[in-house]
Amino acid sequence: TPGPGPATDTGATAVACRVADLRLSVEEADAGAGNQGQAFALTNAGTAACSLAGYPAVSLLDTQGRA
């Protein structure tokens, strides 16, 4: 029987996600003891399954797209 959650292993390998198909959203964050944090989520907005691997990189840019 399949495990809990929406993911099901079909044996097929998803292709790498394209940047154009990903949507970034700001999620609710939890903080305490003087700490602050922020959570982000990437959602596949494309029409086909895709996969991500590794760790995300984050860069803070100005309105001109410069670091």
Side-chain angles (χ1 to χ4, degrees), residues 15 31 39 43 45 47 50 54 67:
V15 298
T43 303
T47 58
C50 67

Side-chain angles (χ1 to χ4, degrees), residues 2-63:
T8 302
D9 184 4
T10 62
T13 302
V15 298
C17 294
R18 297 179 334 131
V19 172
D21 291 335
L22 296 175
R23 300 294 177 266
L24 179 68
S25 60
V26 178
E27 301 291 315
E28 195 171 317
D30 188 18
N35 295 314
Q36 294 184 353
Q38 189 61 60
F40 299 94
L42 282 175
T43 303
N44 179 6
T47 58
C50 67
S51 65
L52 295 173
Y55 296 96
V58 176
S59 298
L60 299 177
L61 306 175
D62 65 14
T63 57

